[in-house]
Amino acid sequence: SQQLRQTGAASVTGCSGATARSARALACAVLTTNLASVGGVLDTPAQTAARVRWTFLPRGGTCTFPNGRAPVTFTTPAVCASLAPRMLGLLGWLLPRLLRRLSQLKTLIAEVAEHRDYATRAPDTVPDEIGALASVFNGMLEQIQRRDMNLEHELAERRRAEAQLAYTARHDAVTGLPNRHYFNEALAQLMEGATERGRHVALMFLDLDNFKLVNDTLGHDVGDALLAAVAARLRERLRDEDLVCRLGGDEFAVVLEHVNSNDDALEVAAK
């Protein structure tokens, strides 16, 4: 449109001043607001050129310009003869740029669909219809990215809750030691492995004398603190590969791996 404004006087030679001004204004309006209907920017270059020529080249002394729903026809031959070549040249300069931007946007959409990289954004920020399309596409990507982030956060919270539930189901809340359920599973696996490898496993049970008296006289909080202290002491005196469990109440179980004889188990029990 800028080129047309600069050369508009020469484009309408032979017309009255009002006609010339109307022709220049209409041509600029067509190019800036109605280019899709004028040139069919989604067509191939050959189809676009044919449509442009059909629209703008004079036929029978008239020249028709699209103008929304009511096309305007000029009967002045000079307007048609001078405006049509210049408008074709301007369209020839504009259309490749518009088609290139559409092609870039199409390529970006294909890449996002293939790689699912929703952090990608279309860089087209030109304030026109194609820029508006890119802006809408960017908004859609932002919504998808936000949804994925919320979903990932929700899944992480769910996994954390499931892990916490699994830990609670297999560990004692007072001492933090594995509970009876954990003990039963672990002992079965250790016995099976020891049998296959020809090794020995030692199993010890112990309880606390007069523990009920502690609970009855000093309260359950003191009793829980005593259980936690006993569990910590057992854990300190045993090897890392040995298993200490609280079976319930004041009862504990210890599983010793890799013992060669009863004397090894008695030595550990003496601690």
Side-chain angles (χ1 to χ4, degrees):
S1 59
Q2 183 178 359
Q3 178 182 348
L4 222 89
R5 293 189 185 100
Q6 295 172 351
T7 60
S11 301
V12 292
T13 303
C15 302
S16 65
T19 305
R21 286 193 297 272
S22 299
R24 288 198 299 270
L26 178 58
C28 293
V30 166
L31 288 178
T32 55
T33 63
N34 255 344
L35 190 55
S37 61
V38 173
V41 294
L42 297 181
D43 292 343
T44 63
Q47 292 171 327
T48 298
R51 184 173 299 184
V52 169
R53 291 189 179 89
W54 183 86
T55 304
F56 285 104
L57 290 182
R59 295 173 296 160
T62 65
C63 188
T64 302
F65 297 89
N67 184 27
R69 297 182 178 179
V72 177
T73 300
F74 287 91
T75 57
T76 306
V79 174
C80 301
S82 58
L83 275 182
R86 294 181 180 278
M87 295 191 71
L88 284 175
L90 187 57
L91 286 175
W93 179 84
L94 283 175
L95 289 179
R97 287 160 176 77
L98 295 176
L99 293 174
R100 182 170 61 250
R101 291 169 59 201
L102 286 174
S103 178
Q104 291 172 348
L105 184 58
K106 175 184 175 183
T107 301
L108 180 65
I109 294 174
E111 291 177 354
V112 170
E114 179 179 359
H115 303 292
R116 299 181 183 276
D117 183 10
Y118 301 119
T120 305
R121 294 293 183 269
D124 197 331
T125 58
V126 179
D128 59 5
E129 286 79 0
I130 299 178
L133 179 62
S135 178
V136 171
F137 179 65
N138 287 340
M140 181 182 66
L141 290 178
E142 184 176 354
Q143 293 181 8
I144 295 175
Q145 186 181 19
R146 189 182 304 113
R147 183 204 63 184
D148 283 357
M149 293 175 61
N150 292 338
L151 181 60
E152 183 62 29
H153 177 72
E154 180 180 347
L155 291 177
E157 287 295 320
R158 181 177 299 180
R159 288 191 292 266
R160 185 195 61 79
E162 290 176 351
Q164 182 64 34
L165 287 175
Y167 180 87
T168 303
R170 296 162 62 87
H171 289 78
D172 176 54
V174 175
T175 63
L177 295 176
N179 58 16
R180 181 183 292 273
H181 179 65
Y182 188 106
F183 168 77
N184 291 334
E185 291 182 348
L187 181 61
Q189 294 177 359
L190 290 173
M191 294 295 293
E192 182 179 356
T195 301
E196 292 177 354
R197 297 176 178 85
R199 297 179 178 178
H200 299 280
V201 174
L203 175 61
M204 297 188 296
F205 290 96
L206 62 150
D207 60 9
L208 305 181
D209 295 336
N210 300 319
F211 179 72
K212 184 176 184 301
L213 181 61
V214 174
N215 273 339
D216 292 342
T217 57
L218 300 178
H220 289 280
D221 291 340
V222 175
D224 289 346
L226 177 59
L227 290 172
V230 171
R233 182 171 298 185
L234 288 173
R235 188 68 271 169
E236 291 174 359
R237 297 298 180 88
L238 298 173
R239 301 169 299 178
D240 292 339
E241 61 267 24
D242 297 330
L243 178 64
V244 183
C245 301
R246 182 191 177 196
L247 301 182
D250 61 350
E251 297 178 345
F252 294 84
V254 178
V255 182
L256 305 177
E257 292 188 75
H258 311 306
V259 294
N260 297 321
S261 64
N262 292 338
D263 293 337
D264 292 342
L266 292 174
E267 182 180 354
V268 173
K271 296 181 179 180

